[in-house]
Amino acid sequence: MRFLHTSDWHLGRSLHRVSMLDAQAAFLDHLVATARAREVDAVLVAGDVYDRAVPPLAAVELFDRALHRLADAGVPTVMISGNHDSARRLGVGAGLIERAGIHLRTDPAGCATPVVLSDAHGDVACYGLPYLEPVLVKDEFQVDKARHEAVLAAAMEQVRADLAARPPGTRSVVLAHAFVVGGKASDSERDITVGGVAAVPAGTFHGVDYVALGHLHGCQTITERVRYSGSPLAYSFSEATHRKTTWLVEIDAAGSVAAERIDCPVPRPLARLTGRLEQLLEDPAHERHEDAFVEATLTDPVRPAEPMARLAARFPHVLSIVFAPERGPEASGVSYAQRMRGRGDLEIAEDFVTHVRGGAGPDEDERTVLRAAFDEVRIAGAEAAG
């Protein structure tokens, strides 16, 4: 049986205030086309369909169109809610939608109720474990402590109990939204440590043939049977080097797994550039990044004038500037406090500016501002004392 494993669509999300809806629509076009072309038996969506609990209308419309197209293609879809989704909102109408082959699993009580698919070799039971917030579900799963490992382990015990009652040879798939030990995080994932230690061991999922994970945005293999698809688009510059893909997974009659990465469309690449402003503007090596979304880390000792406008002349899609000035040589063995000892307030302020800029002191206009500020403070202090 052949599955297309994806997750973390984050419909409605932007990148540094740039809407990603068109790029998300292009990905969903690609998803449906791939499902048709590769004749998949089901699409697995491992959570974070939306970027927030109450998504914008345009994101809801995009989701609605995707479901209609998958249903029209006759491709069953199994989908769980993630930590960004509102489980109750996403699950509205799940019973009706299921008649069209779209199986939403958003209720923790349904963890052990699989979607059963069949091929020439028998049944495949697909269990959907929505994101389980430990504090909210610990009583339902009868665990003592609100910990991610505890609630997921309890849910998996229910899964294994249901699987054991099925005909011998029944193959199994689990969808889960969690941080599994060994996974590599990026900046765009929301922290889930509230409610207990976030990471759970991969062994929590033992006993099933394939685990389709969501939450981490990098495509990665934890074990041959436990994989993250990652997000289909880059949602932070920490993902600039990611290869965005889905997994095409095949499970044979014996439950053996083979997986192939299918590249997602890249609407615009991301680039992280570092150097002095003039270097970034003049270096011919950066020509290939001129159409990319750019994050520029400027190392100029003194912050240059109008850096965003100047960068945009060469890189029209620059989105972010980080300032990391080069540091000048520090006085060997002498602390900052020792070097300031015996100096007047204005001298200390000027030396402080020099220190934080890595060697470049204030110019005459800045000295004038500093002197005026100290004069105001001194006068105010004298008036208060008088």
Side-chain angles (χ1 to χ4, degrees), residues 321-367:
I321 293 180
V322 178
F323 294 99
E326 298 166 350
R327 299 294 180 186
E330 297 289 348
S332 177
V334 181
S335 71
Y336 178 72
Q338 289 172 320
R339 286 185 281 116
M340 294 301 102
R341 191 170 297 139
R343 295 175 178 268
D345 290 342
L346 182 57
E347 290 178 300
I348 290 175
E350 292 179 354
D351 283 348
F352 176 75
V353 172
T354 302
H355 174 73
V356 297
R357 282 180 172 171
D363 59 26
E364 193 54 43
D365 289 339
E366 291 168 331
R367 288 192 180 92

Side-chain angles (χ1 to χ4, degrees), residues 187-381:
D187 293 345
S188 56
E189 298 133 5
R190 183 178 296 166
D191 184 21
I192 59 172
T193 55
V194 176
V197 176
V200 299
T204 303
F205 300 101
H206 73 86
V208 296
D209 294 310
Y210 184 71
V211 181
L213 292 175
H215 180 58
L216 299 185
H217 288 184
C219 181
Q220 48 201 295
T221 300
I222 305 301
T223 73
E224 288 304 307
R225 297 183 181 275
V226 180
R227 299 171 187 263
Y228 282 99
S229 66
S231 61
L233 297 166
Y235 291 118
S236 74
F237 280 98
S238 66
E239 301 168 53
T241 60
H242 285 191
R243 175 188 166 198
K244 295 300 185 181
T245 62
T246 56
W247 283 112
L248 185 68
V249 179
E250 292 192 8
I251 303 178
D252 68 12
S256 296
V257 172
E260 173 190 351
R261 292 178 72 174
I262 305 294
D263 288 300
C264 297
V266 180
R268 192 179 302 283
L270 271 62
R272 281 181 141 171
L273 309 181
T274 300
R276 295 193 178 197
L277 179 59
E278 294 302 327
Q279 294 171 338
L280 299 187
L281 295 177
E282 297 173 3
D283 190 342
H286 296 319
E287 287 181 8
R288 61 193 179 95
H289 301 306
E290 289 177 357
D291 196 44
F293 286 130
V294 169
E295 177 189 75
T297 298
L298 300 183
T299 60
D300 302 71
V302 178
R303 184 173 299 200
E306 300 183 335
M308 182 62 85
R310 294 167 67 187
L311 282 167
R314 182 178 190 187
F315 307 103
H317 304 288
V318 59
L319 299 183
S320 174
I321 293 180
V322 178
F323 294 99
E326 298 166 350
R327 299 294 180 186
E330 297 289 348
S332 177
V334 181
S335 71
Y336 178 72
Q338 289 172 320
R339 286 185 281 116
M340 294 301 102
R341 191 170 297 139
R343 295 175 178 268
D345 290 342
L346 182 57
E347 290 178 300
I348 290 175
E350 292 179 354
D351 283 348
F352 176 75
V353 172
T354 302
H355 174 73
V356 297
R357 282 180 172 171
D363 59 26
E364 193 54 43
D365 289 339
E366 291 168 331
R367 288 192 180 92
T368 299
V369 171
L370 287 172
R371 280 194 293 268
F374 279 109
D375 286 345
E376 287 184 17
V377 171
R378 187 173 60 256
I379 292 168

Side-chain angles (χ1 to χ4, degrees), residues 68-221:
H68 275 85
R69 293 172 66 191
L70 287 167
D72 289 344
V75 180
T77 300
V78 185
M79 180 179 297
I80 62 172
S81 50
N83 60 300
H84 279 249
D85 299 309
S86 164
R88 295 190 66 178
R89 285 188 174 90
L90 186 63
V92 168
L96 283 173
I97 295 172
E98 191 154 10
R99 298 179 186 178
I102 307 296
H103 307 275
L104 298 174
R105 292 293 186 263
T106 63
D107 186 351
C111 286
T113 304
V115 177
V116 180
L117 305 173
S118 299
D119 63 9
H121 306 295
D123 291 344
V124 177
C126 298
Y127 299 89
L129 278 56
Y131 172 68
L132 302 175
E133 175 54 55
V135 173
L136 300 180
V137 302
K138 73 179 186 68
D139 292 338
E140 178 165 345
F141 287 102
Q142 300 179 356
V143 297
D144 295 331
K145 295 182 179 180
R147 296 288 186 268
H148 288 271
E149 182 178 355
V151 296
L152 268 172
M156 284 302 302
E157 285 300 320
Q158 294 183 8
V159 166
R160 283 186 284 269
D162 179 84
L163 188 59
R166 295 187 176 275
T170 299
R171 291 156 291 165
S172 55
V173 171
V174 165
L175 289 77
H177 197 85
F179 189 168
V180 175
V181 173
K184 295 180 180 179
S186 36
D187 293 345
S188 56
E189 298 133 5
R190 183 178 296 166
D191 184 21
I192 59 172
T193 55
V194 176
V197 176
V200 299
T204 303
F205 300 101
H206 73 86
V208 296
D209 294 310
Y210 184 71
V211 181
L213 292 175
H215 180 58
L216 299 185
H217 288 184
C219 181
Q220 48 201 295
T221 300

